[in-house]
Amino acid sequence: MTPTEILAVTAIAYLQPGTRAELSRLAGKEISRDVIGALKRHGLIDDTLRAPESGAPFAYVTTKKVLEVFGLATLRDLPDIKQLEDE
């Protein structure tokens, strides 16, 4: 996985569900459709319903494979985002 793919899947894990625009804002750089496509091919994310905003973009969630890849029992095991920001 590329650093951008790791950043995107991590952002999705915290946002659940998150649109590509929200991911880009959080990452501070554009998250391309290619990155989303790669994560879907890896089986790490899936799209859910369309977000209730202008243009009705897809919103993405992580799959159970993310837990396996990152060695987590649940998403609650993710580090606290506020603590990460402080560090």
Side-chain angles (χ1 to χ4, degrees), residues 17 24 33 51 68:
S24 295
R33 287 182 173 91
E68 297 168 15

Side-chain angles (χ1 to χ4, degrees), residues 45-83:
I45 66 168
D46 200 3
D47 42 21
T48 62
L49 300 175
R50 293 187 178 264
E53 56 190 65
S54 179
F58 281 107
Y60 302 97
V61 295
T62 56
T63 64
K64 290 186 181 202
K65 187 171 182 180
V66 166
L67 300 177
E68 297 168 15
V69 169
F70 291 101
L72 302 169
T74 72
L75 289 176
R76 290 186 192 111
D77 294 336
L78 286 168
D80 181 70
I81 196 139
K82 295 291 184 196
Q83 182 182 2

Side-chain angles (χ1 to χ4, degrees), residues 28-39:
K29 65 182 198 173
E30 181 70 20
I31 301 297
S32 71
R33 287 182 173 91
D34 292 338
V35 169
I36 296 297
L39 294 174

